[in-house]
Amino acid sequence: MKSALTIAGSDPTGGAGLQADLKVFRAFGVHGLSVTSALTAQNTEGVSAIIPVDKGFFIGQMDVLLRDIKPDALKTGMLYSAWAVDVIAVRMEDYSLKNLVVDPVTVSSSGVPLVEQETLEAVKEQLFPLASVITPNIYEASVLTGINVENISDMEEAAKRLKEMGPAVVIITGGHLEGLALDLYYDGEGFHRIESVKSMGEYHGTGCAFSSAITASLASGHSTLESARKAKEFINNAIRKAYHLGKGMRLLNL
């Protein structure tokens, strides 16, 4: 059986973070592995507290797991601490890991910062050059590039700038665009627009689920473009079947 590893924060709602990633891996028929980077106190209305795991324990999780199982693909979500980026970059080389998907998480859906100030820079410098795919949303693409992304033309310019940072493929997710759900795929040679009808409402964990769907598809041997299309279809179905459990955002049916 193929396997995929998520390195991410824990979400008690199960709607995002490593819990959601593991659900997605299972839906794609891939065995899910996980390393916890941080614990959060959150619900469907927002994040109230974050505690990063101890550095030594984080390293222990990585090494004990990777000495035994080599995943076919892996993704990073919320890393919080810059030192976690250093650890991952070193393990990528030490264990010859492939098919890295980087979801450059910056803030929660409710606007709470999910990384320390220096972490995003470390992700850009150390993980982007190792990545098969990066999956920033429009807000994250704006923060990473300094371009105020408001339309498709801005997305294309931001994608070009992000590609220069080293990833093999850039996918900017455009669910935050007005009236359009467009994901822009750029591999340095051309653009592919992966579009769908936009669903109204607020949904928890769409970025996590999208990046983990790509990870699972890569682990199964699909191309990056095919994986992006499969992930888009998967998320659309999960949104259409989303449900309310709490007082805030809807949870995807993963």
Side-chain angles (χ1 to χ4, degrees), residues 8-14 16-19 35-42 49 78:
S10 172
D11 175 5
T13 73
L18 63 86
Q19 288 90 338
V35 167
T36 307
S37 62
L39 304 176
T40 70
Q42 65 175 295
M78 172 190 168

Side-chain angles (χ1 to χ4, degrees), residues 8-202:
S10 172
D11 175 5
T13 73
L18 63 86
Q19 288 90 338
D21 294 340
L22 292 173
K23 291 179 187 178
V24 174
F25 293 165
R26 184 176 181 84
F28 275 76
V30 172
H31 180 82
L33 309 166
S34 63
V35 167
T36 307
S37 62
L39 304 176
T40 70
Q42 65 175 295
N43 57 26
T44 60
E45 295 182 296
V47 178
S48 64
I50 301 170
I51 299 177
V53 301
D54 173 77
K55 181 177 181 180
F57 184 69
F58 181 79
I59 292 171
Q61 289 183 84
M62 291 282 292
D63 286 342
V64 169
L65 177 64
L66 294 173
R67 282 199 299 266
D68 184 39
I69 303 171
K70 181 178 178 180
D72 296 288
L74 70 159
K75 67 156 283 189
T76 61
M78 172 190 168
L79 297 179
Y80 194 76
S81 305
W83 54 254
V85 178
D86 299 335
V87 171
I88 295 166
V90 170
R91 269 65 188 174
M92 286 290 298
E93 181 177 356
D94 287 350
Y95 294 95
S96 301
L97 302 179
K98 308 292 183 186
N99 293 322
L100 171 65
V101 177
V102 176
D103 183 12
V105 175
T106 55
V107 300
S108 70
S109 301
S110 56
V112 176
L114 298 177
V115 294
E116 292 178 330
Q117 188 171 359
E118 64 274 17
T119 304
L120 198 57
E121 194 63 32
V123 169
K124 287 166 59 176
E125 292 179 0
Q126 297 185 63
L127 294 187
F128 279 11
L130 302 175
S132 297
V133 191
I134 64 171
T135 62
N137 61 31
I138 284 176
Y139 173 77
E140 290 158 352
S142 299
V143 171
L144 288 161
T145 64
I147 297 171
N148 186 24
V149 180
E150 297 182 331
N151 52 48
I152 295 173
S153 178
D154 294 338
M155 288 176 76
E156 291 181 349
E157 188 59 37
K160 290 178 182 177
R161 194 166 299 181
L162 288 166
K163 182 70 175 71
E164 293 171 355
M165 298 178 190
V169 171
V170 176
I171 303 174
I172 300 179
T173 59
H176 297 82
L177 279 179
E178 251 340 284
L180 180 66
L182 167 71
D183 297 335
L184 185 69
Y185 178 107
Y186 181 61
D187 60 6
E189 296 183 3
F191 293 99
H192 295 271
R193 296 183 182 184
I194 307 173
E195 301 181 25
S196 66
V197 176
K198 185 170 183 175
S199 299
M200 295 299 102
E202 291 185 292

